[in-house]
mmCIF file of all heavy atoms in Angstrom:
data_model
loop_
_atom_site.group_PDB
_atom_site.id
_atom_site.type_symbol
_atom_site.label_atom_id
_atom_site.label_comp_id
_atom_site.label_asym_id
_atom_site.label_seq_id
_atom_site.Cartn_x
_atom_site.Cartn_y
_atom_site.Cartn_z
ATOM 1 N N ILE A 69 -14.755 10.946 16.565
ATOM 2 C CA ILE A 69 -14.849 9.683 15.908
ATOM 3 C C ILE A 69 -14.557 9.944 14.439
ATOM 4 O O ILE A 69 -13.941 9.159 13.715
ATOM 5 C CB ILE A 69 -16.198 9.043 16.237
ATOM 6 C CG1 ILE A 69 -16.093 8.348 17.623
ATOM 7 C CG2 ILE A 69 -16.365 7.943 15.170
ATOM 8 C CD1 ILE A 69 -17.412 7.872 18.069
ATOM 9 N N GLU A 70 -15.190 11.059 13.934
ATOM 10 C CA GLU A 70 -15.064 11.323 12.422
ATOM 11 C C GLU A 70 -13.507 11.568 12.031
ATOM 12 O O GLU A 70 -13.101 11.069 11.148
ATOM 13 C CB GLU A 70 -15.855 12.586 12.151
ATOM 14 C CG GLU A 70 -16.058 12.751 10.743
ATOM 15 C CD GLU A 70 -17.077 14.011 10.327
ATOM 16 O OE1 GLU A 70 -17.892 14.166 11.061
ATOM 17 O OE2 GLU A 70 -16.769 14.711 9.314
ATOM 18 N N ARG A 71 -12.800 12.317 12.972
ATOM 19 C CA ARG A 71 -11.399 12.527 12.638
ATOM 20 C C ARG A 71 -10.516 11.277 12.657
ATOM 21 O O ARG A 71 -9.738 11.099 11.795
ATOM 22 C CB ARG A 71 -10.870 13.538 13.656
ATOM 23 C CG ARG A 71 -9.335 14.114 13.352
ATOM 24 C CD ARG A 71 -8.893 14.927 14.420
ATOM 25 N NE ARG A 71 -8.596 14.344 15.668
ATOM 26 C CZ ARG A 71 -7.564 13.681 15.921
ATOM 27 N NH1 ARG A 71 -6.455 13.598 15.008
ATOM 28 N NH2 ARG A 71 -7.230 13.023 17.095
ATOM 29 N N GLU A 72 -10.889 10.456 13.581
ATOM 30 C CA GLU A 72 -10.085 9.118 13.750
ATOM 31 C C GLU A 72 -10.420 8.215 12.472
ATOM 32 O O GLU A 72 -9.548 7.583 11.872
ATOM 33 C CB GLU A 72 -10.571 8.358 14.992
ATOM 34 C CG GLU A 72 -10.169 9.027 16.310
ATOM 35 C CD GLU A 72 -8.751 9.206 16.429
ATOM 36 O OE1 GLU A 72 -7.953 8.133 16.286
ATOM 37 O OE2 GLU A 72 -8.396 10.282 16.883
ATOM 38 N N GLN A 73 -11.676 8.336 11.972
ATOM 39 C CA GLN A 73 -11.995 7.572 10.644
ATOM 40 C C GLN A 73 -11.256 8.175 9.471
ATOM 41 O O GLN A 73 -10.755 7.319 8.744
ATOM 42 C CB GLN A 73 -13.628 7.514 10.495
ATOM 43 C CG GLN A 73 -14.529 7.134 11.563
ATOM 44 C CD GLN A 73 -14.501 5.504 11.454
ATOM 45 O OE1 GLN A 73 -13.625 4.859 11.027
ATOM 46 N NE2 GLN A 73 -15.565 4.965 12.216
ATOM 47 N N GLU A 74 -11.101 9.436 9.387
ATOM 48 C CA GLU A 74 -10.377 10.045 8.365
ATOM 49 C C GLU A 74 -8.925 9.624 8.443
ATOM 50 O O GLU A 74 -8.359 9.353 7.377
ATOM 51 C CB GLU A 74 -10.635 11.562 8.435
ATOM 52 C CG GLU A 74 -11.976 12.015 7.898
ATOM 53 C CD GLU A 74 -12.133 13.565 7.974
ATOM 54 O OE1 GLU A 74 -11.158 14.219 8.323
ATOM 55 O OE2 GLU A 74 -13.272 14.092 7.901
ATOM 56 N N TRP A 75 -8.425 9.748 9.680
ATOM 57 C CA TRP A 75 -6.943 9.435 9.944
ATOM 58 C C TRP A 75 -6.808 7.936 9.419
ATOM 59 O O TRP A 75 -5.702 7.676 8.690
ATOM 60 C CB TRP A 75 -6.768 9.539 11.437
ATOM 61 C CG TRP A 75 -5.385 9.477 11.931
ATOM 62 C CD1 TRP A 75 -4.220 9.549 11.185
ATOM 63 C CD2 TRP A 75 -4.846 8.929 13.182
ATOM 64 N NE1 TRP A 75 -3.072 9.285 11.928
ATOM 65 C CE2 TRP A 75 -3.457 8.840 13.173
ATOM 66 C CE3 TRP A 75 -5.526 8.610 14.394
ATOM 67 C CZ2 TRP A 75 -2.694 8.528 14.302
ATOM 68 C CZ3 TRP A 75 -4.824 8.213 15.432
ATOM 69 C CH2 TRP A 75 -3.449 8.236 15.398
ATOM 70 N N LEU A 76 -7.590 7.003 9.792
ATOM 71 C CA LEU A 76 -7.520 5.563 9.418
ATOM 72 C C LEU A 76 -7.525 5.474 7.924
ATOM 73 O O LEU A 76 -6.637 4.704 7.281
ATOM 74 C CB LEU A 76 -8.531 4.771 10.058
ATOM 75 C CG LEU A 76 -8.442 3.213 9.758
ATOM 76 C CD1 LEU A 76 -7.323 2.636 10.191
ATOM 77 C CD2 LEU A 76 -9.722 2.625 10.273
ATOM 78 N N MET A 77 -8.526 5.979 7.251
ATOM 79 C CA MET A 77 -8.662 5.875 5.789
ATOM 80 C C MET A 77 -7.469 6.409 4.996
ATOM 81 O O MET A 77 -7.071 5.879 4.008
ATOM 82 C CB MET A 77 -9.962 6.607 5.269
ATOM 83 C CG MET A 77 -11.228 5.802 5.682
ATOM 84 S SD MET A 77 -11.295 4.165 5.176
ATOM 85 C CE MET A 77 -11.054 3.245 6.711
ATOM 86 N N LEU A 78 -6.876 7.501 5.562
ATOM 87 C CA LEU A 78 -5.670 8.154 4.873
ATOM 88 C C LEU A 78 -4.550 7.039 5.095
ATOM 89 O O LEU A 78 -3.806 6.913 4.057
ATOM 90 C CB LEU A 78 -5.394 9.348 5.620
ATOM 91 C CG LEU A 78 -4.264 10.175 4.880
ATOM 92 C CD1 LEU A 78 -4.730 10.709 3.573
ATOM 93 C CD2 LEU A 78 -3.924 11.539 5.910
ATOM 94 N N ALA A 79 -4.410 6.486 6.187
ATOM 95 C CA ALA A 79 -3.330 5.540 6.411
ATOM 96 C C ALA A 79 -3.592 4.319 5.500
ATOM 97 O O ALA A 79 -2.573 3.789 4.967
ATOM 98 C CB ALA A 79 -3.294 5.070 7.804
ATOM 99 N N ILE A 80 -4.696 3.841 5.339
ATOM 100 C CA ILE A 80 -5.043 2.742 4.559
ATOM 101 C C ILE A 80 -4.659 3.105 3.042
ATOM 102 O O ILE A 80 -3.994 2.357 2.283
ATOM 103 C CB ILE A 80 -6.571 2.315 4.564
ATOM 104 C CG1 ILE A 80 -6.723 1.684 5.857
ATOM 105 C CG2 ILE A 80 -6.890 1.428 3.411
ATOM 106 C CD1 ILE A 80 -8.242 1.288 6.066
ATOM 107 N N GLU A 81 -4.924 4.230 2.521
ATOM 108 C CA GLU A 81 -4.740 4.672 1.212
ATOM 109 C C GLU A 81 -3.223 4.736 1.019
ATOM 110 O O GLU A 81 -2.602 4.458 -0.143
ATOM 111 C CB GLU A 81 -5.340 5.969 0.765
ATOM 112 C CG GLU A 81 -7.000 5.873 0.685
ATOM 113 C CD GLU A 81 -7.327 4.780 -0.271
ATOM 114 O OE1 GLU A 81 -6.821 4.662 -1.382
ATOM 115 O OE2 GLU A 81 -8.237 3.941 0.088
ATOM 116 N N GLU A 82 -2.530 5.389 2.002
ATOM 117 C CA GLU A 82 -1.091 5.454 1.922
ATOM 118 C C GLU A 82 -0.399 4.153 1.932
ATOM 119 O O GLU A 82 0.586 3.764 1.029
ATOM 120 C CB GLU A 82 -0.450 6.186 3.066
ATOM 121 C CG GLU A 82 -0.794 7.718 2.838
ATOM 122 C CD GLU A 82 -0.478 8.522 4.070
ATOM 123 O OE1 GLU A 82 -0.337 8.029 5.101
ATOM 124 O OE2 GLU A 82 -0.318 9.818 3.914
ATOM 125 N N ALA A 83 -0.949 3.027 2.614
ATOM 126 C CA ALA A 83 -0.411 1.788 2.612
ATOM 127 C C ALA A 83 -0.645 1.150 1.302
ATOM 128 O O ALA A 83 0.278 0.416 0.858
ATOM 129 C CB ALA A 83 -1.087 0.965 3.833
ATOM 130 N N LEU A 84 -1.888 1.184 0.749
ATOM 131 C CA LEU A 84 -2.209 0.600 -0.504
ATOM 132 C C LEU A 84 -1.231 1.194 -1.627
ATOM 133 O O LEU A 84 -0.625 0.348 -2.454
ATOM 134 C CB LEU A 84 -3.557 0.922 -0.868
ATOM 135 C CG LEU A 84 -4.599 0.140 -0.216
ATOM 136 C CD1 LEU A 84 -6.052 0.789 -0.601
ATOM 137 C CD2 LEU A 84 -4.708 -1.234 -0.791
ATOM 138 N N SER A 85 -0.961 2.476 -1.546
ATOM 139 C CA SER A 85 -0.069 3.130 -2.468
ATOM 140 C C SER A 85 1.439 2.526 -2.453
ATOM 141 O O SER A 85 2.090 2.461 -3.364
ATOM 142 C CB SER A 85 -0.026 4.680 -2.323
ATOM 143 O OG SER A 85 0.901 5.141 -3.127
ATOM 144 N N ASP A 86 1.756 2.392 -1.137
ATOM 145 C CA ASP A 86 3.102 1.830 -0.919
ATOM 146 C C ASP A 86 3.229 0.382 -1.336
ATOM 147 O O ASP A 86 4.281 0.066 -1.999
ATOM 148 C CB ASP A 86 3.306 1.829 0.649
ATOM 149 C CG ASP A 86 4.796 1.555 1.076
ATOM 150 O OD1 ASP A 86 5.641 2.287 0.568
ATOM 151 O OD2 ASP A 86 4.960 0.676 1.961
ATOM 152 N N PHE A 87 2.224 -0.522 -1.173
ATOM 153 C CA PHE A 87 2.278 -1.828 -1.663
ATOM 154 C C PHE A 87 2.439 -1.807 -3.176
ATOM 155 O O PHE A 87 3.124 -2.627 -3.788
ATOM 156 C CB PHE A 87 1.091 -2.669 -1.165
ATOM 157 C CG PHE A 87 1.099 -2.901 0.341
ATOM 158 C CD1 PHE A 87 0.044 -2.816 1.048
ATOM 159 C CD2 PHE A 87 2.325 -3.372 0.893
ATOM 160 C CE1 PHE A 87 0.014 -3.021 2.529
ATOM 161 C CE2 PHE A 87 2.308 -3.598 2.194
ATOM 162 C CZ PHE A 87 1.164 -3.379 3.010
ATOM 163 N N ARG A 88 1.536 -0.932 -3.868
ATOM 164 C CA ARG A 88 1.569 -0.898 -5.370
ATOM 165 C C ARG A 88 3.005 -0.496 -5.811
ATOM 166 O O ARG A 88 3.567 -1.021 -6.747
ATOM 167 C CB ARG A 88 0.490 0.075 -5.814
ATOM 168 C CG ARG A 88 -0.815 -0.571 -5.716
ATOM 169 C CD ARG A 88 -1.825 0.275 -6.544
ATOM 170 N NE ARG A 88 -2.073 1.592 -5.942
ATOM 171 C CZ ARG A 88 -3.068 1.810 -5.121
ATOM 172 N NH1 ARG A 88 -3.882 0.912 -4.745
ATOM 173 N NH2 ARG A 88 -3.212 3.076 -4.568
ATOM 174 N N ARG A 89 3.538 0.539 -5.107
ATOM 175 C CA ARG A 89 4.934 1.034 -5.450
ATOM 176 C C ARG A 89 5.974 -0.066 -5.351
ATOM 177 O O ARG A 89 6.900 -0.311 -6.209
ATOM 178 C CB ARG A 89 5.347 2.122 -4.616
ATOM 179 C CG ARG A 89 6.620 2.854 -4.882
ATOM 180 C CD ARG A 89 6.867 3.919 -3.909
ATOM 181 N NE ARG A 89 6.990 3.558 -2.450
ATOM 182 C CZ ARG A 89 7.974 2.878 -1.916
ATOM 183 N NH1 ARG A 89 9.006 2.570 -2.608
ATOM 184 N NH2 ARG A 89 7.925 2.440 -0.684
ATOM 185 N N MET A 90 5.952 -0.870 -4.248
ATOM 186 C CA MET A 90 6.820 -1.881 -3.982
ATOM 187 C C MET A 90 6.751 -2.951 -4.999
ATOM 188 O O MET A 90 7.834 -3.596 -5.547
ATOM 189 C CB MET A 90 6.695 -2.546 -2.646
ATOM 190 C CG MET A 90 7.267 -1.630 -1.480
ATOM 191 S SD MET A 90 7.183 -2.333 -0.045
ATOM 192 C CE MET A 90 7.511 -0.875 1.059
ATOM 193 N N ARG A 91 5.565 -3.371 -5.331
ATOM 194 C CA ARG A 91 5.273 -4.368 -6.366
ATOM 195 C C ARG A 91 5.838 -3.970 -7.684
ATOM 196 O O ARG A 91 6.585 -4.791 -8.479
ATOM 197 C CB ARG A 91 3.802 -4.603 -6.541
ATOM 198 C CG ARG A 91 3.439 -5.879 -7.303
ATOM 199 C CD ARG A 91 2.016 -5.974 -7.749
ATOM 200 N NE ARG A 91 1.583 -7.269 -8.096
ATOM 201 C CZ ARG A 91 1.967 -7.826 -9.283
ATOM 202 N NH1 ARG A 91 2.787 -7.262 -10.104
ATOM 203 N NH2 ARG A 91 1.635 -9.100 -9.465
ATOM 204 N N LYS A 92 5.753 -2.684 -8.092
ATOM 205 C CA LYS A 92 6.277 -2.187 -9.434
ATOM 206 C C LYS A 92 7.861 -2.093 -9.334
ATOM 207 O O LYS A 92 8.556 -2.545 -10.235
ATOM 208 C CB LYS A 92 5.758 -0.822 -9.636
ATOM 209 C CG LYS A 92 6.095 -0.307 -11.020
ATOM 210 C CD LYS A 92 5.489 1.107 -11.187
ATOM 211 C CE LYS A 92 5.857 1.675 -12.604
ATOM 212 N NZ LYS A 92 5.307 2.989 -12.802
ATOM 213 N N LYS A 93 8.402 -1.857 -8.110
ATOM 214 C CA LYS A 93 9.837 -1.823 -7.980
ATOM 215 C C LYS A 93 10.432 -3.138 -8.104
ATOM 216 O O LYS A 93 11.546 -3.283 -8.689
ATOM 217 C CB LYS A 93 10.129 -1.266 -6.508
ATOM 218 C CG LYS A 93 11.617 -1.182 -6.175
ATOM 219 C CD LYS A 93 11.738 -0.828 -4.660
ATOM 220 C CE LYS A 93 13.207 -1.020 -4.200
ATOM 221 N NZ LYS A 93 13.301 -0.700 -2.782
ATOM 222 N N LEU A 94 9.789 -4.207 -7.553
ATOM 223 C CA LEU A 94 10.270 -5.571 -7.600
ATOM 224 C C LEU A 94 9.940 -6.334 -8.797
ATOM 225 O O LEU A 94 10.297 -7.545 -8.960
ATOM 226 C CB LEU A 94 10.088 -6.235 -6.443
ATOM 227 C CG LEU A 94 10.489 -5.664 -5.079
ATOM 228 C CD1 LEU A 94 9.910 -6.313 -3.873
ATOM 229 C CD2 LEU A 94 12.056 -5.761 -5.037
ATOM 230 N N ASP A 95 9.215 -5.713 -9.664
ATOM 231 C CA ASP A 95 8.475 -6.494 -10.763
ATOM 232 C C ASP A 95 9.539 -7.285 -11.678
ATOM 233 O O ASP A 95 9.182 -8.315 -12.195
ATOM 234 C CB ASP A 95 7.694 -5.520 -11.769
ATOM 235 C CG ASP A 95 6.732 -6.235 -12.612
ATOM 236 O OD1 ASP A 95 6.322 -7.262 -12.256
ATOM 237 O OD2 ASP A 95 6.487 -5.764 -13.775
ATOM 238 N N ASN A 96 10.656 -6.737 -11.951
ATOM 239 C CA ASN A 96 11.661 -7.351 -12.758
ATOM 240 C C ASN A 96 12.557 -8.206 -12.137
ATOM 241 O O ASN A 96 13.413 -8.926 -12.709
ATOM 242 C CB ASN A 96 12.333 -6.438 -13.589
ATOM 243 C CG ASN A 96 11.500 -5.451 -14.481
ATOM 244 O OD1 ASN A 96 10.541 -6.042 -15.112
ATOM 245 N ND2 ASN A 96 11.713 -4.215 -14.631
ATOM 246 N N GLU A 97 12.545 -8.149 -10.755
ATOM 247 C CA GLU A 97 13.549 -9.033 -9.942
ATOM 248 C C GLU A 97 13.005 -10.348 -9.456
ATOM 249 O O GLU A 97 13.904 -11.242 -9.239
ATOM 250 C CB GLU A 97 14.056 -8.198 -8.653
ATOM 251 C CG GLU A 97 14.703 -6.926 -9.096
ATOM 252 C CD GLU A 97 15.267 -6.290 -7.873
ATOM 253 O OE1 GLU A 97 15.934 -6.942 -7.207
ATOM 254 O OE2 GLU A 97 15.155 -5.080 -7.745
ATOM 255 N N ILE A 98 11.826 -10.521 -9.214
ATOM 256 C CA ILE A 98 11.281 -11.751 -8.652
ATOM 257 C C ILE A 98 10.108 -12.209 -9.418
ATOM 258 O O ILE A 98 9.492 -11.535 -10.271
ATOM 259 C CB ILE A 98 10.924 -11.573 -7.197
ATOM 260 C CG1 ILE A 98 9.815 -10.527 -6.997
ATOM 261 C CG2 ILE A 98 12.068 -11.308 -6.335
ATOM 262 C CD1 ILE A 98 9.434 -10.313 -5.541
ATOM 263 N N ASN A 99 9.722 -13.545 -9.278
ATOM 264 C CA ASN A 99 8.683 -14.097 -10.026
ATOM 265 C C ASN A 99 7.259 -13.609 -9.484
ATOM 266 O O ASN A 99 7.116 -12.944 -8.520
ATOM 267 C CB ASN A 99 8.664 -15.732 -9.885
ATOM 268 C CG ASN A 99 8.469 -16.265 -8.479
ATOM 269 O OD1 ASN A 99 7.677 -15.702 -7.868
ATOM 270 N ND2 ASN A 99 9.492 -17.144 -8.116
ATOM 271 N N LYS A 100 6.340 -13.888 -10.416
ATOM 272 C CA LYS A 100 4.871 -13.400 -10.134
ATOM 273 C C LYS A 100 4.347 -13.871 -8.824
ATOM 274 O O LYS A 100 3.526 -13.224 -8.222
ATOM 275 C CB LYS A 100 4.048 -13.859 -11.348
ATOM 276 C CG LYS A 100 4.381 -13.068 -12.597
ATOM 277 C CD LYS A 100 3.858 -11.621 -12.612
ATOM 278 C CE LYS A 100 4.117 -10.874 -13.850
ATOM 279 N NZ LYS A 100 5.437 -10.671 -14.248
ATOM 280 N N GLU A 101 4.633 -15.176 -8.395
ATOM 281 C CA GLU A 101 4.004 -15.635 -7.262
ATOM 282 C C GLU A 101 4.400 -14.926 -5.992
ATOM 283 O O GLU A 101 3.831 -14.776 -5.029
ATOM 284 C CB GLU A 101 4.328 -17.134 -7.010
ATOM 285 C CG GLU A 101 3.763 -17.683 -5.742
ATOM 286 C CD GLU A 101 3.807 -19.208 -5.627
ATOM 287 O OE1 GLU A 101 2.890 -19.735 -6.311
ATOM 288 O OE2 GLU A 101 4.532 -19.737 -4.869
ATOM 289 N N THR A 102 5.815 -14.558 -5.955
ATOM 290 C CA THR A 102 6.333 -13.918 -4.840
ATOM 291 C C THR A 102 5.832 -12.463 -4.835
ATOM 292 O O THR A 102 5.501 -11.915 -3.743
ATOM 293 C CB THR A 102 7.848 -13.888 -4.896
ATOM 294 O OG1 THR A 102 8.256 -15.090 -5.005
ATOM 295 C CG2 THR A 102 8.392 -13.333 -3.573
ATOM 296 N N LEU A 103 5.592 -11.882 -5.977
ATOM 297 C CA LEU A 103 5.058 -10.517 -6.129
ATOM 298 C C LEU A 103 3.487 -10.524 -5.576
ATOM 299 O O LEU A 103 3.138 -9.479 -5.054
ATOM 300 C CB LEU A 103 4.972 -10.116 -7.410
ATOM 301 C CG LEU A 103 6.260 -9.502 -8.091
ATOM 302 C CD1 LEU A 103 6.102 -9.089 -9.637
ATOM 303 C CD2 LEU A 103 6.753 -8.227 -7.317
ATOM 304 N N ALA A 104 2.988 -11.593 -5.609
ATOM 305 C CA ALA A 104 1.574 -11.685 -5.097
ATOM 306 C C ALA A 104 1.563 -11.503 -3.642
ATOM 307 O O ALA A 104 0.448 -11.264 -3.084
ATOM 308 C CB ALA A 104 1.072 -13.111 -5.465
#
């Protein structure tokens, strides 16, 4: 169970990092509401 919890938390952190990266990438192309 402990390994699965770590596996999940790692995936969540990578997903969060990915969303932040995409938001930054599109920051100058689309309006703030869509970036939301």
Side-chain angles (χ1 to χ4, degrees):
I69 288 171
E70 192 175 328
R71 188 181 70 84
E72 296 296 315
Q73 298 283 19
E74 286 177 11
W75 185 28
L76 176 67
M77 286 304 109
L78 187 63
I80 288 175
E81 290 308 315
E82 285 172 342
L84 284 168
S85 174
D86 190 52
F87 290 137
R88 285 192 291 268
R89 180 182 59 78
M90 286 185 190
R91 194 190 195 289
K92 188 176 179 182
K93 174 186 169 185
L94 297 170
D95 194 31
N96 296 321
E97 294 189 51
I98 56 179
N99 62 46
K100 290 288 185 289
E101 176 167 288
T102 310
L103 279 176

